[in-house]
Amino acid sequence: MHKSSHNICAKLQNEKITMRLVIKVGTRSLMAEDKTLDQSMIELLVDQIATLKNQKHSVALVSSGAVGAGRLLWTNNSTKSTFTDRVLEKQILASLGQSSLIDSYNKALSKHDMLAAQILLTKNDFKLRRHSVNIGRLMDKLAQYNQA
């Protein structure tokens, strides 16, 4: 996690405004050296999100990590199959790892009485205004109900 991110909570607390924040976390930030999900990093991230939410900021987390978590599950299940199609490989690994990633977030979020919500979007979801408006309404309601 970037050094300046540790101080963002303190900086925003000094500001007397409420902000809508989107935090993007990449796979490498969530994986430990042994290629497992780093639960302590996830907990640190969630603690910071909880602090921001307690300061009345609206926070949306955009998280990678499902492919990395899926790769570990694929490898640990002694699957000897290899992939020849990179797109298919990422789709399979992400589908395997997504539940593990959400479970890790929910474990950390439960300490703050919050839940993880998952929204799967593609670029096609933004092509029609009606779809974009519906996504916006969903995000607003999730924020209203204090979900991360």
Side-chain angles (χ1 to χ4, degrees):
M1 191 169 290
H2 194 271
K3 288 181 184 178
S4 64
S5 65
H6 295 293
N7 296 325
I8 194 166
C9 296
K11 288 177 185 176
L12 288 174
Q13 187 172 16
N14 291 334
E15 303 293 324
K16 299 299 179 197
I17 58 174
T18 300
M19 298 181 69
R20 178 172 278 189
L21 305 164
V22 177
I23 300 169
K24 170 62 172 93
V25 180
T27 301
R28 289 187 181 159
S29 296
L30 298 177
M31 304 304 283
E33 287 185 29
D34 64 358
K35 306 295 185 202
T36 61
L37 284 171
D38 187 342
Q39 190 64 35
S40 64
M41 182 58 74
I42 290 171
E43 289 175 10
L44 176 63
L45 174 64
V46 166
D47 289 346
Q48 291 180 11
I49 289 171
T51 297
L52 291 167
K53 290 180 107 16
N54 288 336
Q55 295 169 1
K56 306 301 182 211
H57 299 291
S58 174
V59 182
L61 174 65
V62 178
S63 179
S64 297
V67 173
R71 189 174 312 281
L72 178 69
L73 292 170
W74 185 266
T75 303
N76 286 348
N77 284 325
S78 300
T79 305
K80 302 298 180 200
S81 301
T82 57
F83 297 100
T84 56
D85 182 331
R86 297 293 289 166
V87 172
L88 184 59
E89 173 185 13
K90 284 186 175 187
Q91 290 173 328
I92 290 171
L93 295 177
S95 68
L96 291 171
Q98 189 62 38
S99 61
S100 178
L101 180 64
I102 290 291
D103 285 346
S104 293
Y105 276 116
N106 274 324
K107 181 179 177 184
L109 287 163
S110 68
K111 297 173 188 172
H112 301 283
D113 295 322
M114 293 189 298
L115 296 169
Q118 178 181 358
I119 304 172
L120 300 174
L121 302 171
T122 68
K123 62 183 174 185
N124 289 332
D125 293 312
F126 298 96
K127 287 184 177 178
L128 294 176
R129 172 116 177 96
R130 180 174 42 106
H131 290 184
S132 296
V133 168
N134 286 339
I135 293 165
R137 287 179 45 228
L138 173 60
M139 295 293 291
D140 287 343
K141 283 297 180 186
L142 284 171
Q144 177 184 341
Y145 295 126
N146 200 28
Q147 305 305 305

